[in-house]
Amino acid sequence: MEVHHFNMSNPASNPDGGDRFPQWSLNETREFLAIRSELDRTFMETKRNKLLWDVISSKMKEKGYNRSADQCKCKWKNLVTRYKGSETMEAENMRQFPFYDELRAIFTARMQRLLWLEAEGGGSSSAKKKGLRSSSEDEEESNDDSDKAKGSKKKKRLKSKVGTEKSRGNNSNSRSNVIEALEEFMRQQMQMEVQWREAMEAREEERSMKEMEWRRKMEAIERERIAMDNRWREREEQRRMREEARAEKRDVLLTTLLTKLINDDM
């Protein structure tokens, strides 16, 4: 039986009104990214993205989350925007985006597929790459308005024809530029990974130093406590000995007085 999650605190939430109402939970977003990751290759190979968003909406409902295709598409755009923004931040702030690893895995896999297609070479590979690029651009546009969609398709076909004619003359240069761009992207990814690891190691070293300092302070406090306890015991022992000495003197004095009184009575 399907269990649909609704935001009961906001009864005016509209399931077709974007990703604000109801709010996306962390688990729901991770489920969404897992489904989107499985279909990413299909997204890159087809222009019929609206049907794919419908599929994602159906899969979300199967998992118990009532999300429309428009909500899923809007959520994806927001996540991609945040991911691209986090790449320009420092390593520590970059990790504040909770879905950075999921988005990075999706785009890394996409770049690897492009590299694999480029390595194959040939006209079919170029056609596949054009389809991938076109589909990637389609993800950022709305497909709801049929008139705009038709106009956009015509423009894309014209651009594709012009690009094909131009690419015939400088196919080798274009291919080398793509390879250089992909290599630069991979180098940036590796550099970011190295920076993140260095930041993590620095934080771990700082934490270790703070922990050692804390342990030294705790040991010093413990030694001070033991020393104070020993001083208190010594003072207590001295006080007890003085009390015993005073008690002994008092007993001797009382005994002497009693003896004197007895002798005087006799």
Side-chain angles (χ1 to χ4, degrees):
M1 182 177 67
E2 294 182 359
V3 179
H4 299 291
H5 298 268
F6 295 95
N7 189 352
M8 300 304 294
S9 63
N10 186 7
S13 62
N14 182 5
D16 294 328
D19 65 335
R20 280 193 172 183
F21 304 104
Q23 295 291 337
W24 289 67
S25 64
L26 292 177
N27 291 333
E28 182 182 6
T29 304
R30 288 193 173 93
E31 291 285 357
F32 165 71
L33 287 175
I35 297 172
R36 182 58 179 76
S37 176
E38 293 175 358
L39 296 175
D40 186 68
R41 183 168 185 174
T42 307
F43 269 95
M44 303 301 294
E45 292 176 353
T46 180
K47 297 180 181 181
R48 306 279 298 185
N49 288 350
K50 188 176 187 305
L51 296 177
L52 293 176
W53 288 117
D54 291 334
V55 172
I56 291 179
S57 176
S58 299
K59 288 181 175 291
M60 290 292 290
K61 290 178 180 178
E62 291 177 1
K63 294 183 177 294
Y65 301 104
N66 188 19
R67 295 293 179 180
S68 66
D70 290 337
Q71 282 181 306
C72 294
K73 179 164 50 174
C74 184
K75 184 64 176 178
W76 171 251
K77 290 181 180 180
N78 292 338
L79 289 172
V80 171
T81 301
R82 291 190 61 188
Y83 170 76
K84 291 180 179 180
S86 66
E87 285 187 323
T88 61
M89 299 179 182
E90 297 180 357
E92 184 174 356
N93 295 329
M94 180 176 63
R95 290 295 168 178
Q96 293 179 358
F97 178 42
F99 309 109
Y100 177 84
D101 292 335
E102 288 84 350
L103 269 296
R104 181 175 180 272
I106 292 174
F107 287 108
T108 300
R110 183 180 296 181
M111 289 300 103
Q112 289 175 351
R113 286 197 297 270
L114 288 174
L115 287 172
W116 180 76
L117 289 173
E118 181 63 31
E120 282 189 341
S124 61
S125 176
S126 300
K128 289 181 181 179
K129 287 186 291 181
K130 291 174 185 176
L132 292 178
R133 289 194 294 270
S134 298
S135 179
S136 178
E137 292 173 358
D138 288 344
E139 287 184 16
E140 303 300 328
E141 299 177 355
S142 174
N143 294 323
D144 296 336
D145 194 333
S146 59
D147 294 335
K148 291 182 179 180
K150 291 179 181 178
S152 177
K153 289 180 180 178
K154 290 181 180 178
K155 291 180 180 179
K156 287 177 182 177
R157 283 198 294 269
L158 291 174
K159 290 180 180 179
S160 178
K161 289 180 180 179
V162 174
T164 302
E165 293 176 357
K166 291 181 179 180
S167 63
R168 290 175 182 176
N170 56 359
N171 187 30
S172 59
N173 292 333
S174 176
R175 186 174 301 172
S176 62
N177 291 336
V178 172
I179 293 176
E180 290 177 0
L182 293 175
E183 289 178 350
E184 179 64 22
F185 173 81
M186 296 303 295
R187 282 195 296 269
Q188 291 178 359
Q189 292 293 323
M190 292 295 294
Q191 184 178 4
M192 291 173 61
E193 187 71 19
V194 170
Q195 291 176 354
W196 178 77
R197 290 183 180 276
E198 290 177 352
M200 291 294 293
E201 290 175 357
R203 286 198 296 269
E204 181 63 22
E205 184 178 358
E206 183 181 359
R207 186 197 63 80
S208 178
M209 293 179 63
K210 288 182 178 180
E211 183 177 357
M212 292 177 62
E213 182 66 21
W214 177 81
R215 289 182 181 276
R216 285 195 295 267
K217 289 181 179 180
M218 290 298 102
E219 291 175 356
I221 292 173
E222 181 65 17
R223 288 193 298 269
E224 182 66 20
R225 188 192 64 80
I226 293 174
M228 291 177 63
D229 188 60
N230 290 334
R231 288 195 296 270
W232 178 83
R233 291 178 181 277
E234 290 176 358
R235 289 195 299 268
E236 187 66 18
E237 182 66 20
Q238 292 174 1
R239 186 192 63 80
R240 186 183 63 80
M241 292 176 63
R242 288 195 298 270
E243 287 290 335
E244 291 179 353
R246 283 196 297 268
E248 185 177 355
K249 290 179 179 180
R250 186 173 58 250
D251 292 341
V252 171
L253 180 60
L254 290 173
T255 302
T256 303
L257 290 174
L258 288 173
T259 303
K260 183 177 181 182
L261 289 173
I262 293 171
N263 291 332
D264 291 342
D265 291 341
M266 294 178 64

